[in-house]
Amino acid sequence: MGAKLATKKEEIVEVVDPPKLSITASDIEIARLNIIQSSSEISGEAGSIVLDRTTTILEPEQECSVIPVNAVKGWRENIPFGSPEMPRLAWGEEEKAAIEADSEFGTIEFAEITLLFPMPEGADEEIYPYPIGNEQYALGKLNVAKDAYRCTYKRLATFSAFNPDTPLCEKTWKLKAELLTRGRHSWFVPSLTVSKDKSPEDVSSFVTRITS
């Protein structure tokens, strides 16, 4: 009787990559940026820019490079400071008109500006936890109105108007806190100024991907 040959059946298993998240800018958690004023309840020196109300990312009178990620204009009800009422927000002209139709305070322009902060040499890596390309970055969002709106959002908008084919993220900008004085009152506002430097290609690709 002939010997039987043992055969092993090989099973071909198709390897399937795990699904990837479809990420947009609205999915990313962004810490708030604040400028400490003399009357602020945030710990630190007046004129400092702080991240998440706890971490100083820019000392008074210092300037740093930032890369704009996004800038969104809106309107909010111009309720007096200290009022218990919460101002209504509008993100379009029709919503703005609806608020103004029945508000005794009217509306003012404001903007939400998201910025990337490249990690400077010798800085604490915990403050700049996000890797893009070969560099580390911090991410923060400014809420600006009145003079702060004029010194930030309007400058971004003016640059875009004259450079319609250049995304904001392709340039680095200089951020600092400026001291404004009117009469007996002084306060700090954020100020953005465009530089001649281009942002790294990895950063431009990242920003374009999450905002498109």
Side-chain angles (χ1 to χ4, degrees):
M1 186 175 180
K4 291 184 178 179
L5 295 176
T7 60
K8 183 177 180 181
K9 183 180 180 181
E10 293 186 1
E11 183 179 355
I12 299 176
V13 179
E14 183 181 356
V15 178
V16 179
D17 291 333
K20 293 183 179 180
L21 290 175
S22 177
I23 300 172
T24 64
S26 61
D27 298 317
I28 298 174
E29 184 176 12
I30 304 173
R32 286 285 177 186
L33 292 164
N34 295 94
I35 297 182
I36 299 178
Q37 309 290 347
S38 58
S39 59
S40 293
E41 297 179 357
I42 304 172
S43 178
E45 188 176 351
S48 300
I49 298 180
V50 296
L51 189 67
D52 205 22
R53 299 178 66 89
T54 57
T55 304
T56 298
I57 202 165
L58 195 60
E59 300 285 350
E61 299 183 8
Q62 283 188 334
E63 184 179 73
C64 72
S65 294
V66 295
I67 300 165
V69 174
N70 202 8
V72 182
K73 175 181 178 178
W75 294 264
R76 67 168 168 251
E77 198 170 7
N78 194 20
I79 291 176
F81 179 76
S83 172
E85 295 181 59
M86 291 294 293
R88 290 173 288 174
L89 304 181
W91 299 102
E93 293 284 353
E94 290 186 7
E95 292 175 314
K96 169 182 175 285
I99 292 174
E100 292 179 340
D102 66 355
S103 173
E104 61 178 300
F105 306 112
T107 61
I108 59 169
E109 296 170 314
F110 78 98
E112 295 271 4
I113 303 171
T114 303
L115 302 170
L116 273 172
F117 292 77
M119 185 175 76
E121 186 176 351
D124 185 351
E125 211 170 296
E126 289 187 1
I127 302 174
Y128 301 84
Y130 305 121
I132 303 176
N134 297 320
E135 304 294 332
Q136 297 289 125
Y137 294 84
L139 186 66
K141 181 182 288 185
L142 279 170
N143 185 295
V144 293
K146 299 180 179 178
D147 289 305
Y149 177 91
R150 175 178 55 82
C151 293
T152 55
Y153 182 82
K154 281 199 169 185
R155 293 178 183 176
L156 294 172
T158 301
F159 177 86
S160 289
F162 284 93
N163 301 272
D165 297 324
T166 304
L168 289 173
C169 64
E170 287 191 7
K171 287 279 192 178
T172 63
W173 292 64
K174 297 297 183 182
L175 172 68
K176 64 180 180 180
E178 288 187 352
L179 181 65
L180 296 184
T181 300
R182 289 192 183 140
R184 295 179 298 171
H185 301 285
S186 297
W187 65 97
F188 291 93
V189 299
S191 171
L192 284 172
T193 306
V194 69
S195 76
K196 296 180 181 179
D197 299 328
K198 286 189 173 183
S199 62
E201 187 175 338
D202 289 326
V203 172
S204 296
S205 299
F206 169 78
V207 173
T208 300
R209 177 167 59 84
I210 70 169
T211 57
S212 59

